[in-house]
Amino acid sequence: MRIGILGTGMLAAALGEGWVRAGHELAVAGRSWAKAQELADRLGRRARAVTPGQAVVDRDAVLLAVSWQGAEEILRSAGAADGSLEGTALIDPTNAVEHGVGVVLAGTDEAMAQRIARLSPGAHVVKAFHLFPSDQWTRPRVSGERPVTVAMCGDDPDALHVVGELVRDVGGIPAVLGSLDRARQLEEVAGFVIGLAFAGTDPNSAIPRIPSSAA
């Protein structure tokens, strides 16, 4: 696939590494051209640094790998308001939560993913990759370790399929929760996990373990 990445941080690097390994071509952009070039150089010959506008043209998918506070700015730079992402699977892994507390800050009337969809008319937004730290996608898997499940939601079946394949390419299992109106639920789960983790509690211990035979 031809994938655009808006952002140059840890998640962009981690998923980019996995996708390059799977044979995809990446176009990397950020607020800093130097950082975009540095990340593209690290990812190798299948990646190149481009402008935000170039990163979203003729892509099978675009990853919005920035903080939630920076999403509007980078989308504006990419021309999202003018329809540059129309028909494109736009992956939203943002967490609009209070650091160390987990309270969702996106407001009560819409999910962050829905705000991103509003800022990107015509884009097929898929909420995904927002629950695990970036090193989940780069660390070696322990023998016998089960792959993690990446819960996601979105309105377009083709976009969900594309993102599901990209989840598999980095060792995860995609699980579609529903349409994009379920995104708020996924974002609240992220807040729940972050809040417990910063309080010193393993979030896994707070989730019932249902035997596979009962699922």
Side-chain angles (χ1 to χ4, degrees):
M1 298 187 203
R2 289 164 52 85
I3 304 168
I5 296 181
L6 296 174
T8 57
M10 291 187 293
L11 184 62
L15 291 177
E17 180 181 322
W19 291 336
V20 163
R21 192 183 306 119
H24 302 303
E25 295 182 4
L26 306 186
V28 181
R31 290 182 297 176
S32 164
W33 173 265
K35 289 183 178 179
Q37 186 65 65
E38 179 184 357
L39 177 55
D41 289 344
R42 283 167 50 197
L43 293 174
R45 63 181 180 84
R46 289 188 178 274
R48 60 192 178 94
V50 296
T51 66
Q54 293 169 328
V56 303
V57 175
D58 295 328
R59 305 296 161 192
D60 298 294
V62 172
L63 173 68
L64 183 63
V66 297
S67 67
W68 71 273
Q69 298 99 325
E72 184 169 357
E73 178 186 349
I74 197 72
L75 287 171
R76 186 186 307 114
S77 298
D82 298 322
S84 63
L85 283 152
E86 184 173 359
T88 304
L90 177 58
I91 306 169
D92 167 32
T94 61
N95 282 318
V97 299
E98 185 177 350
H99 181 71
V101 178
V103 175
V104 175
L105 300 174
T108 58
D109 57 339
E110 66 179 353
M112 187 62 194
Q114 291 171 312
R115 182 185 302 179
I116 288 168
R118 180 165 49 81
L119 293 168
S120 312
H124 300 312
V125 176
V126 175
K127 190 78 185 186
F129 292 114
H130 72 300
L131 276 177
F132 294 95
S134 56
D135 64 359
Q136 172 66 44
W137 313 116
T138 55
R139 65 176 177 80
R141 188 179 300 173
V142 178
S143 176
E145 181 182 7
R146 298 179 62 182
V148 298
T149 297
V150 176
M152 58 189 200
C153 62
D155 293 333
D156 185 79
D158 290 338
L160 287 167
H161 175 75
V162 166
V163 178
E165 290 302 305
L166 294 175
V167 168
R168 291 186 179 93
D169 285 338
V170 292
I173 298 176
V176 178
L177 180 65
S179 57
L180 200 63
D181 60 9
R182 300 290 296 274
R184 178 76 185 196
Q185 187 174 12
L186 283 181
E187 292 171 7
E188 291 281 7
V189 170
F192 167 79
V193 169
I194 291 169
L196 285 180
F198 273 88
T201 299
D202 177 6
N204 292 305
S205 68
I207 301 172
R209 297 184 181 275
I210 301 174
S212 56
S213 59

